[in-house]
PDB file of all heavy atoms in Angstrom:
ATOM      1  N   LEU A   1     -73.840  39.355  33.699  1.00  0.00           N
ATOM      2  CA  LEU A   1     -73.243  40.618  34.143  1.00  0.00           C
ATOM      3  C   LEU A   1     -71.823  40.390  34.645  1.00  0.00           C
ATOM      4  O   LEU A   1     -70.907  41.150  34.313  1.00  0.00           O
ATOM      5  CB  LEU A   1     -74.102  41.252  35.249  1.00  0.00           C
ATOM      6  CG  LEU A   1     -73.570  42.565  35.841  1.00  0.00           C
ATOM      7  CD1 LEU A   1     -73.478  43.651  34.781  1.00  0.00           C
ATOM      8  CD2 LEU A   1     -74.449  43.027  37.001  1.00  0.00           C
ATOM      9  N   VAL A   2     -71.616  39.343  35.434  1.00  0.00           N
ATOM     10  CA  VAL A   2     -70.279  39.031  35.960  1.00  0.00           C
ATOM     11  C   VAL A   2     -69.308  38.738  34.816  1.00  0.00           C
ATOM     12  O   VAL A   2     -68.180  39.223  34.804  1.00  0.00           O
ATOM     13  CB  VAL A   2     -70.368  37.841  36.950  1.00  0.00           C
ATOM     14  CG1 VAL A   2     -69.009  37.214  37.193  1.00  0.00           C
ATOM     15  CG2 VAL A   2     -70.968  38.309  38.276  1.00  0.00           C
ATOM     16  N   ASN A   3     -69.755  37.953  33.839  1.00  0.00           N
ATOM     17  CA  ASN A   3     -68.919  37.638  32.680  1.00  0.00           C
ATOM     18  C   ASN A   3     -68.535  38.916  31.921  1.00  0.00           C
ATOM     19  O   ASN A   3     -67.375  39.129  31.556  1.00  0.00           O
ATOM     20  CB  ASN A   3     -69.668  36.673  31.766  1.00  0.00           C
ATOM     21  CG  ASN A   3     -68.784  35.927  30.774  1.00  0.00           C
ATOM     22  OD1 ASN A   3     -69.111  34.829  30.331  1.00  0.00           O
ATOM     23  ND2 ASN A   3     -67.653  36.504  30.408  1.00  0.00           N
ATOM     24  N   PHE A   4     -69.512  39.784  31.720  1.00  0.00           N
ATOM     25  CA  PHE A   4     -69.283  41.061  31.031  1.00  0.00           C
ATOM     26  C   PHE A   4     -68.299  41.933  31.810  1.00  0.00           C
ATOM     27  O   PHE A   4     -67.341  42.476  31.242  1.00  0.00           O
ATOM     28  CB  PHE A   4     -70.625  41.782  30.867  1.00  0.00           C
ATOM     29  CG  PHE A   4     -70.527  43.202  30.404  1.00  0.00           C
ATOM     30  CD1 PHE A   4     -70.113  43.517  29.117  1.00  0.00           C
ATOM     31  CD2 PHE A   4     -70.853  44.251  31.268  1.00  0.00           C
ATOM     32  CE1 PHE A   4     -70.027  44.845  28.690  1.00  0.00           C
ATOM     33  CE2 PHE A   4     -70.764  45.568  30.858  1.00  0.00           C
ATOM     34  CZ  PHE A   4     -70.356  45.868  29.562  1.00  0.00           C
ATOM     35  N   LEU A   5     -68.505  42.063  33.112  1.00  0.00           N
ATOM     36  CA  LEU A   5     -67.641  42.921  33.934  1.00  0.00           C
ATOM     37  C   LEU A   5     -66.197  42.419  33.970  1.00  0.00           C
ATOM     38  O   LEU A   5     -65.261  43.209  34.018  1.00  0.00           O
ATOM     39  CB  LEU A   5     -68.186  43.009  35.367  1.00  0.00           C
ATOM     40  CG  LEU A   5     -69.449  43.833  35.570  1.00  0.00           C
ATOM     41  CD1 LEU A   5     -69.880  43.788  37.027  1.00  0.00           C
ATOM     42  CD2 LEU A   5     -69.251  45.276  35.120  1.00  0.00           C
ATOM     43  N   ALA A   6     -66.031  41.092  33.942  1.00  0.00           N
ATOM     44  CA  ALA A   6     -64.680  40.524  33.983  1.00  0.00           C
ATOM     45  C   ALA A   6     -63.844  41.009  32.805  1.00  0.00           C
ATOM     46  O   ALA A   6     -62.626  41.186  32.915  1.00  0.00           O
ATOM     47  CB  ALA A   6     -64.754  38.999  33.992  1.00  0.00           C
ATOM     48  N   PHE A   7     -64.522  41.260  31.671  1.00  0.00           N
ATOM     49  CA  PHE A   7     -63.804  41.683  30.464  1.00  0.00           C
ATOM     50  C   PHE A   7     -63.589  43.205  30.401  1.00  0.00           C
ATOM     51  O   PHE A   7     -63.017  43.704  29.442  1.00  0.00           O
ATOM     52  CB  PHE A   7     -64.537  41.200  29.214  1.00  0.00           C
ATOM     53  CG  PHE A   7     -64.185  39.790  28.841  1.00  0.00           C
ATOM     54  CD1 PHE A   7     -64.766  38.716  29.493  1.00  0.00           C
ATOM     55  CD2 PHE A   7     -63.241  39.531  27.863  1.00  0.00           C
ATOM     56  CE1 PHE A   7     -64.438  37.406  29.168  1.00  0.00           C
ATOM     57  CE2 PHE A   7     -62.902  38.232  27.521  1.00  0.00           C
ATOM     58  CZ  PHE A   7     -63.501  37.159  28.178  1.00  0.00           C
ATOM     59  N   LEU A   8     -64.064  43.932  31.405  1.00  0.00           N
ATOM     60  CA  LEU A   8     -63.804  45.373  31.455  1.00  0.00           C
ATOM     61  C   LEU A   8     -62.469  45.606  32.150  1.00  0.00           C
ATOM     62  O   LEU A   8     -62.383  45.842  33.348  1.00  0.00           O
ATOM     63  CB  LEU A   8     -64.932  46.105  32.196  1.00  0.00           C
ATOM     64  CG  LEU A   8     -66.278  46.169  31.480  1.00  0.00           C
ATOM     65  CD1 LEU A   8     -67.290  46.934  32.307  1.00  0.00           C
ATOM     66  CD2 LEU A   8     -66.151  46.801  30.100  1.00  0.00           C
ATOM     67  N   GLY A   9     -61.404  45.491  31.371  1.00  0.00           N
ATOM     68  CA  GLY A   9     -60.073  45.736  31.911  1.00  0.00           C
ATOM     69  C   GLY A   9     -59.205  44.501  32.022  1.00  0.00           C
ATOM     70  O   GLY A   9     -58.013  44.598  32.295  1.00  0.00           O
ATOM     71  N   TRP A  10     -59.797  43.323  31.819  1.00  0.00           N
ATOM     72  CA  TRP A  10     -59.028  42.064  31.890  1.00  0.00           C
ATOM     73  C   TRP A  10     -59.329  41.239  30.657  1.00  0.00           C
ATOM     74  O   TRP A  10     -60.413  41.345  30.093  1.00  0.00           O
ATOM     75  CB  TRP A  10     -59.439  41.280  33.146  1.00  0.00           C
ATOM     76  CG  TRP A  10     -58.908  39.870  33.214  1.00  0.00           C
ATOM     77  CD1 TRP A  10     -57.679  39.480  33.674  1.00  0.00           C
ATOM     78  CD2 TRP A  10     -59.574  38.658  32.814  1.00  0.00           C
ATOM     79  NE1 TRP A  10     -57.550  38.116  33.594  1.00  0.00           N
ATOM     80  CE2 TRP A  10     -58.703  37.574  33.059  1.00  0.00           C
ATOM     81  CE3 TRP A  10     -60.832  38.379  32.259  1.00  0.00           C
ATOM     82  CZ2 TRP A  10     -59.035  36.255  32.781  1.00  0.00           C
ATOM     83  CZ3 TRP A  10     -61.165  37.065  31.977  1.00  0.00           C
ATOM     84  CH2 TRP A  10     -60.275  36.025  32.236  1.00  0.00           C
ATOM     85  N   ASN A  11     -58.354  40.451  30.213  1.00  0.00           N
ATOM     86  CA  ASN A  11     -58.655  39.484  29.155  1.00  0.00           C
ATOM     87  C   ASN A  11     -57.846  38.219  29.423  1.00  0.00           C
ATOM     88  O   ASN A  11     -56.756  38.274  29.997  1.00  0.00           O
ATOM     89  CB  ASN A  11     -58.380  40.055  27.758  1.00  0.00           C
ATOM     90  CG  ASN A  11     -56.894  40.165  27.470  1.00  0.00           C
ATOM     91  OD1 ASN A  11     -56.223  39.169  27.199  1.00  0.00           O
ATOM     92  ND2 ASN A  11     -56.371  41.379  27.547  1.00  0.00           N
ATOM     93  N   PRO A  12     -58.364  37.070  28.999  1.00  0.00           N
ATOM     94  CA  PRO A  12     -57.696  35.805  29.305  1.00  0.00           C
ATOM     95  C   PRO A  12     -56.531  35.479  28.377  1.00  0.00           C
ATOM     96  O   PRO A  12     -55.821  34.505  28.596  1.00  0.00           O
ATOM     97  CB  PRO A  12     -58.827  34.786  29.136  1.00  0.00           C
ATOM     98  CG  PRO A  12     -59.715  35.398  28.094  1.00  0.00           C
ATOM     99  CD  PRO A  12     -59.644  36.883  28.301  1.00  0.00           C
ATOM    100  N   GLY A  13     -56.368  36.298  27.323  1.00  0.00           N
ATOM    101  CA  GLY A  13     -55.289  36.017  26.374  1.00  0.00           C
ATOM    102  C   GLY A  13     -55.677  34.981  25.335  1.00  0.00           C
ATOM    103  O   GLY A  13     -54.844  34.492  24.580  1.00  0.00           O
ATOM    104  N   THR A  14     -56.977  34.616  25.290  1.00  0.00           N
ATOM    105  CA  THR A  14     -57.479  33.660  24.289  1.00  0.00           C
ATOM    106  C   THR A  14     -58.702  34.272  23.620  1.00  0.00           C
ATOM    107  O   THR A  14     -59.116  35.384  23.956  1.00  0.00           O
ATOM    108  CB  THR A  14     -57.891  32.331  24.955  1.00  0.00           C
ATOM    109  OG1 THR A  14     -59.005  32.593  25.844  1.00  0.00           O
ATOM    110  CG2 THR A  14     -56.745  31.722  25.756  1.00  0.00           C
ATOM    111  N   GLU A  15     -59.298  33.524  22.704  1.00  0.00           N
ATOM    112  CA  GLU A  15     -60.503  33.999  22.005  1.00  0.00           C
ATOM    113  C   GLU A  15     -61.778  33.730  22.808  1.00  0.00           C
ATOM    114  O   GLU A  15     -62.845  34.214  22.463  1.00  0.00           O
ATOM    115  CB  GLU A  15     -60.611  33.315  20.627  1.00  0.00           C
ATOM    116  CG  GLU A  15     -59.498  33.690  19.644  1.00  0.00           C
ATOM    117  CD  GLU A  15     -59.461  35.175  19.340  1.00  0.00           C
ATOM    118  OE1 GLU A  15     -60.504  35.743  18.974  1.00  0.00           O
ATOM    119  OE2 GLU A  15     -58.372  35.773  19.475  1.00  0.00           O
ATOM    120  N   GLN A  16     -61.672  32.940  23.867  1.00  0.00           N
ATOM    121  CA  GLN A  16     -62.861  32.576  24.653  1.00  0.00           C
ATOM    122  C   GLN A  16     -63.474  33.807  25.314  1.00  0.00           C
ATOM    123  O   GLN A  16     -62.777  34.634  25.877  1.00  0.00           O
ATOM    124  CB  GLN A  16     -62.474  31.557  25.742  1.00  0.00           C
ATOM    125  CG  GLN A  16     -63.669  31.040  26.532  1.00  0.00           C
ATOM    126  CD  GLN A  16     -63.271  30.015  27.589  1.00  0.00           C
ATOM    127  OE1 GLN A  16     -62.184  29.448  27.535  1.00  0.00           O
ATOM    128  NE2 GLN A  16     -64.152  29.774  28.551  1.00  0.00           N
ATOM    129  N   GLU A  17     -64.811  33.914  25.204  1.00  0.00           N
ATOM    130  CA  GLU A  17     -65.520  35.034  25.824  1.00  0.00           C
ATOM    131  C   GLU A  17     -66.490  34.591  26.910  1.00  0.00           C
ATOM    132  O   GLU A  17     -66.761  35.328  27.850  1.00  0.00           O
ATOM    133  CB  GLU A  17     -66.298  35.823  24.763  1.00  0.00           C
ATOM    134  CG  GLU A  17     -65.417  36.644  23.847  1.00  0.00           C
ATOM    135  CD  GLU A  17     -66.241  37.555  22.953  1.00  0.00           C
ATOM    136  OE1 GLU A  17     -66.827  37.046  21.972  1.00  0.00           O
ATOM    137  OE2 GLU A  17     -66.310  38.763  23.233  1.00  0.00           O
ATOM    138  N   MET A  18     -67.025  33.391  26.768  1.00  0.00           N
ATOM    139  CA  MET A  18     -68.012  32.893  27.727  1.00  0.00           C
ATOM    140  C   MET A  18     -67.299  32.138  28.845  1.00  0.00           C
ATOM    141  O   MET A  18     -66.636  31.130  28.605  1.00  0.00           O
ATOM    142  CB  MET A  18     -69.007  31.974  27.031  1.00  0.00           C
ATOM    143  CG  MET A  18     -69.786  32.637  25.916  1.00  0.00           C
ATOM    144  SD  MET A  18     -70.967  33.842  26.551  1.00  0.00           S
ATOM    145  CE  MET A  18     -72.153  32.758  27.343  1.00  0.00           C
ATOM    146  N   PHE A  19     -67.426  32.657  30.059  1.00  0.00           N
ATOM    147  CA  PHE A  19     -66.786  32.050  31.218  1.00  0.00           C
ATOM    148  C   PHE A  19     -67.781  31.904  32.365  1.00  0.00           C
ATOM    149  O   PHE A  19     -68.458  32.870  32.721  1.00  0.00           O
ATOM    150  CB  PHE A  19     -65.637  32.932  31.724  1.00  0.00           C
ATOM    151  CG  PHE A  19     -64.386  32.891  30.901  1.00  0.00           C
ATOM    152  CD1 PHE A  19     -64.245  33.695  29.773  1.00  0.00           C
ATOM    153  CD2 PHE A  19     -63.333  32.060  31.254  1.00  0.00           C
ATOM    154  CE1 PHE A  19     -63.088  33.671  29.010  1.00  0.00           C
ATOM    155  CE2 PHE A  19     -62.166  32.025  30.494  1.00  0.00           C
ATOM    156  CZ  PHE A  19     -62.038  32.826  29.379  1.00  0.00           C
ATOM    157  N   SER A  20     -67.834  30.726  32.939  1.00  0.00           N
ATOM    158  CA  SER A  20     -68.585  30.573  34.189  1.00  0.00           C
ATOM    159  C   SER A  20     -67.747  31.208  35.298  1.00  0.00           C
ATOM    160  O   SER A  20     -66.562  31.502  35.106  1.00  0.00           O
ATOM    161  CB  SER A  20     -68.808  29.089  34.493  1.00  0.00           C
ATOM    162  OG  SER A  20     -67.550  28.476  34.799  1.00  0.00           O
ATOM    163  N   LEU A  21     -68.335  31.386  36.467  1.00  0.00           N
ATOM    164  CA  LEU A  21     -67.594  31.973  37.579  1.00  0.00           C
ATOM    165  C   LEU A  21     -66.396  31.101  37.951  1.00  0.00           C
ATOM    166  O   LEU A  21     -65.296  31.613  38.201  1.00  0.00           O
ATOM    167  CB  LEU A  21     -68.520  32.156  38.787  1.00  0.00           C
ATOM    168  CG  LEU A  21     -67.960  32.987  39.952  1.00  0.00           C
ATOM    169  CD1 LEU A  21     -67.576  34.389  39.514  1.00  0.00           C
ATOM    170  CD2 LEU A  21     -68.971  33.058  41.091  1.00  0.00           C
ATOM    171  N   ASP A  22     -66.587  29.783  37.949  1.00  0.00           N
ATOM    172  CA  ASP A  22     -65.475  28.868  38.267  1.00  0.00           C
ATOM    173  C   ASP A  22     -64.352  28.983  37.243  1.00  0.00           C
ATOM    174  O   ASP A  22     -63.163  28.938  37.600  1.00  0.00           O
ATOM    175  CB  ASP A  22     -65.973  27.418  38.333  1.00  0.00           C
ATOM    176  CG  ASP A  22     -66.784  27.145  39.596  1.00  0.00           C
ATOM    177  OD1 ASP A  22     -66.657  27.938  40.557  1.00  0.00           O
ATOM    178  OD2 ASP A  22     -67.550  26.165  39.622  1.00  0.00           O
ATOM    179  N   GLU A  23     -64.726  29.148  35.977  1.00  0.00           N
ATOM    180  CA  GLU A  23     -63.705  29.309  34.928  1.00  0.00           C
ATOM    181  C   GLU A  23     -62.967  30.635  35.085  1.00  0.00           C
ATOM    182  O   GLU A  23     -61.749  30.716  34.877  1.00  0.00           O
ATOM    183  CB  GLU A  23     -64.359  29.230  33.546  1.00  0.00           C
ATOM    184  CG  GLU A  23     -64.794  27.835  33.155  1.00  0.00           C
ATOM    185  CD  GLU A  23     -65.603  27.815  31.864  1.00  0.00           C
ATOM    186  OE1 GLU A  23     -66.365  28.767  31.605  1.00  0.00           O
ATOM    187  OE2 GLU A  23     -65.478  26.832  31.121  1.00  0.00           O
ATOM    188  N   LEU A  24     -63.703  31.690  35.458  1.00  0.00           N
ATOM    189  CA  LEU A  24     -63.058  32.988  35.689  1.00  0.00           C
ATOM    190  C   LEU A  24     -62.051  32.890  36.831  1.00  0.00           C
ATOM    191  O   LEU A  24     -60.944  33.429  36.739  1.00  0.00           O
ATOM    192  CB  LEU A  24     -64.105  34.057  36.015  1.00  0.00           C
ATOM    193  CG  LEU A  24     -64.935  34.593  34.850  1.00  0.00           C
ATOM    194  CD1 LEU A  24     -66.044  35.502  35.360  1.00  0.00           C
ATOM    195  CD2 LEU A  24     -64.068  35.333  33.838  1.00  0.00           C
ATOM    196  N   ILE A  25     -62.434  32.195  37.895  1.00  0.00           N
ATOM    197  CA  ILE A  25     -61.517  32.019  39.036  1.00  0.00           C
ATOM    198  C   ILE A  25     -60.250  31.310  38.574  1.00  0.00           C
ATOM    199  O   ILE A  25     -59.134  31.711  38.911  1.00  0.00           O
ATOM    200  CB  ILE A  25     -62.217  31.231  40.168  1.00  0.00           C
ATOM    201  CG1 ILE A  25     -63.307  32.088  40.822  1.00  0.00           C
ATOM    202  CG2 ILE A  25     -61.216  30.757  41.218  1.00  0.00           C
ATOM    203  CD1 ILE A  25     -64.274  31.315  41.719  1.00  0.00           C
ATOM    204  N   GLN A  26     -60.436  30.285  37.782  1.00  0.00           N
ATOM    205  CA  GLN A  26     -59.304  29.494  37.311  1.00  0.00           C
ATOM    206  C   GLN A  26     -58.369  30.309  36.411  1.00  0.00           C
ATOM    207  O   GLN A  26     -57.141  30.207  36.502  1.00  0.00           O
ATOM    208  CB  GLN A  26     -59.836  28.278  36.542  1.00  0.00           C
ATOM    209  CG  GLN A  26     -58.791  27.216  36.247  1.00  0.00           C
ATOM    210  CD  GLN A  26     -59.417  26.022  35.538  1.00  0.00           C
ATOM    211  OE1 GLN A  26     -60.588  25.707  35.738  1.00  0.00           O
ATOM    212  NE2 GLN A  26     -58.656  25.363  34.697  1.00  0.00           N
ATOM    213  N   GLU A  27     -58.945  31.147  35.543  1.00  0.00           N
ATOM    214  CA  GLU A  27     -58.150  31.877  34.549  1.00  0.00           C
ATOM    215  C   GLU A  27     -57.652  33.241  35.031  1.00  0.00           C
ATOM    216  O   GLU A  27     -56.716  33.800  34.456  1.00  0.00           O
ATOM    217  CB  GLU A  27     -58.978  32.084  33.272  1.00  0.00           C
ATOM    218  CG  GLU A  27     -59.329  30.814  32.527  1.00  0.00           C
ATOM    219  CD  GLU A  27     -58.101  30.087  32.000  1.00  0.00           C
ATOM    220  OE1 GLU A  27     -57.121  30.768  31.602  1.00  0.00           O
ATOM    221  OE2 GLU A  27     -58.101  28.851  32.000  1.00  0.00           O
ATOM    222  N   PHE A  28     -58.266  33.789  36.061  1.00  0.00           N
ATOM    223  CA  PHE A  28     -57.984  35.180  36.446  1.00  0.00           C
ATOM    224  C   PHE A  28     -56.531  35.375  36.870  1.00  0.00           C
ATOM    225  O   PHE A  28     -55.974  34.572  37.612  1.00  0.00           O
ATOM    226  CB  PHE A  28     -58.909  35.622  37.569  1.00  0.00           C
ATOM    227  CG  PHE A  28     -58.809  37.093  37.875  1.00  0.00           C
ATOM    228  CD1 PHE A  28     -59.347  38.028  37.001  1.00  0.00           C
ATOM    229  CD2 PHE A  28     -58.150  37.543  39.003  1.00  0.00           C
ATOM    230  CE1 PHE A  28     -59.244  39.386  37.254  1.00  0.00           C
ATOM    231  CE2 PHE A  28     -58.040  38.898  39.276  1.00  0.00           C
ATOM    232  CZ  PHE A  28     -58.590  39.825  38.397  1.00  0.00           C
ATOM    233  N   ASP A  29     -55.963  36.465  36.389  1.00  0.00           N
ATOM    234  CA  ASP A  29     -54.569  36.789  36.690  1.00  0.00           C
ATOM    235  C   ASP A  29     -54.428  38.312  36.683  1.00  0.00           C
ATOM    236  O   ASP A  29     -54.785  38.965  35.704  1.00  0.00           O
ATOM    237  CB  ASP A  29     -53.665  36.168  35.616  1.00  0.00           C
ATOM    238  CG  ASP A  29     -52.184  36.326  35.927  1.00  0.00           C
ATOM    239  OD1 ASP A  29     -51.845  37.089  36.856  1.00  0.00           O
ATOM    240  OD2 ASP A  29     -51.366  35.702  35.233  1.00  0.00           O
ATOM    241  N   LEU A  30     -53.926  38.873  37.779  1.00  0.00           N
ATOM    242  CA  LEU A  30     -53.761  40.337  37.856  1.00  0.00           C
ATOM    243  C   LEU A  30     -52.812  40.855  36.778  1.00  0.00           C
ATOM    244  O   LEU A  30     -52.926  41.999  36.346  1.00  0.00           O
ATOM    245  CB  LEU A  30     -53.226  40.729  39.243  1.00  0.00           C
ATOM    246  CG  LEU A  30     -54.193  40.550  40.427  1.00  0.00           C
ATOM    247  CD1 LEU A  30     -53.476  40.830  41.741  1.00  0.00           C
ATOM    248  CD2 LEU A  30     -55.410  41.451  40.293  1.00  0.00           C
ATOM    249  N   GLU A  31     -51.887  40.014  36.346  1.00  0.00           N
ATOM    250  CA  GLU A  31     -50.908  40.431  35.324  1.00  0.00           C
ATOM    251  C   GLU A  31     -51.583  40.695  33.972  1.00  0.00           C
ATOM    252  O   GLU A  31     -51.012  41.360  33.117  1.00  0.00           O
ATOM    253  CB  GLU A  31     -49.831  39.342  35.139  1.00  0.00           C
ATOM    254  CG  GLU A  31     -49.117  38.935  36.419  1.00  0.00           C
ATOM    255  CD  GLU A  31     -48.002  39.871  36.823  1.00  0.00           C
ATOM    256  OE1 GLU A  31     -47.685  40.749  36.011  1.00  0.00           O
ATOM    257  OE2 GLU A  31     -47.484  39.742  37.943  1.00  0.00           O
ATOM    258  N   ARG A  32     -52.795  40.169  33.788  1.00  0.00           N
ATOM    259  CA  ARG A  32     -53.479  40.331  32.508  1.00  0.00           C
ATOM    260  C   ARG A  32     -54.509  41.475  32.530  1.00  0.00           C
ATOM    261  O   ARG A  32     -55.362  41.568  31.654  1.00  0.00           O
ATOM    262  CB  ARG A  32     -54.153  39.021  32.095  1.00  0.00           C
ATOM    263  CG  ARG A  32     -53.173  37.874  31.869  1.00  0.00           C
ATOM    264  CD  ARG A  32     -53.752  36.828  30.945  1.00  0.00           C
ATOM    265  NE  ARG A  32     -53.886  37.361  29.593  1.00  0.00           N
ATOM    266  CZ  ARG A  32     -52.908  37.366  28.685  1.00  0.00           C
ATOM    267  NH1 ARG A  32     -51.723  36.876  28.982  1.00  0.00           N
ATOM    268  NH2 ARG A  32     -53.116  37.875  27.482  1.00  0.00           N
ATOM    269  N   ILE A  33     -54.416  42.325  33.547  1.00  0.00           N
ATOM    270  CA  ILE A  33     -55.288  43.507  33.599  1.00  0.00           C
ATOM    271  C   ILE A  33     -54.621  44.624  32.801  1.00  0.00           C
ATOM    272  O   ILE A  33     -53.416  44.852  32.913  1.00  0.00           O
ATOM    273  CB  ILE A  33     -55.526  43.949  35.061  1.00  0.00           C
ATOM    274  CG1 ILE A  33     -56.343  42.873  35.796  1.00  0.00           C
ATOM    275  CG2 ILE A  33     -56.259  45.283  35.115  1.00  0.00           C
ATOM    276  CD1 ILE A  33     -56.517  43.120  37.271  1.00  0.00           C
ATOM    277  N   ASN A  34     -55.413  45.313  31.983  1.00  0.00           N
ATOM    278  CA  ASN A  34     -54.879  46.385  31.133  1.00  0.00           C
ATOM    279  C   ASN A  34     -54.756  47.692  31.915  1.00  0.00           C
ATOM    280  O   ASN A  34     -55.505  47.937  32.858  1.00  0.00           O
ATOM    281  CB  ASN A  34     -55.814  46.631  29.942  1.00  0.00           C
ATOM    282  CG  ASN A  34     -56.099  45.356  29.176  1.00  0.00           C
ATOM    283  OD1 ASN A  34     -55.200  44.573  28.923  1.00  0.00           O
ATOM    284  ND2 ASN A  34     -57.358  45.132  28.827  1.00  0.00           N
ATOM    285  N   LYS A  35     -53.832  48.534  31.466  1.00  0.00           N
ATOM    286  CA  LYS A  35     -53.703  49.873  32.064  1.00  0.00           C
ATOM    287  C   LYS A  35     -54.779  50.807  31.511  1.00  0.00           C
ATOM    288  O   LYS A  35     -55.302  51.662  32.216  1.00  0.00           O
ATOM    289  CB  LYS A  35     -52.329  50.485  31.717  1.00  0.00           C
ATOM    290  CG  LYS A  35     -51.157  49.849  32.407  1.00  0.00           C
ATOM    291  CD  LYS A  35     -49.888  50.591  31.992  1.00  0.00           C
ATOM    292  CE  LYS A  35     -48.658  49.773  32.313  1.00  0.00           C
ATOM    293  NZ  LYS A  35     -47.438  50.425  31.826  1.00  0.00           N
ATOM    294  N   ALA A  36     -55.075  50.648  30.228  1.00  0.00           N
ATOM    295  CA  ALA A  36     -55.998  51.574  29.558  1.00  0.00           C
ATOM    296  C   ALA A  36     -57.419  51.397  30.068  1.00  0.00           C
ATOM    297  O   ALA A  36     -57.830  50.299  30.455  1.00  0.00           O
ATOM    298  CB  ALA A  36     -55.958  51.338  28.055  1.00  0.00           C
TER     299      ALA A  36
END
């Protein structure tokens, strides 16, 4: 659920879809949140 929710409005800029929580923390960036 956390992995799914992370992709609702944010993307890492890569093809990777499966992220552990630690990986999400490492990759997360407010600049990569979409307006739409």
Side-chain angles (χ1 to χ4, degrees):
L1 178 62
V2 163
N3 198 154
F4 170 69
L5 288 178
F7 276 80
L8 290 181
W10 170 84
N11 73 76
T14 64
E15 294 300 308
Q16 185 179 342
E17 288 188 284
M18 300 290 290
F19 284 84
S20 68
L21 190 59
D22 286 341
E23 287 172 326
L24 284 173
I25 290 166
Q26 192 178 330
E27 294 296 325
F28 188 73
D29 186 349
L30 291 174
E31 305 278 352
R32 297 204 68 85
I33 293 174
N34 307 317
K35 289 182 197 176

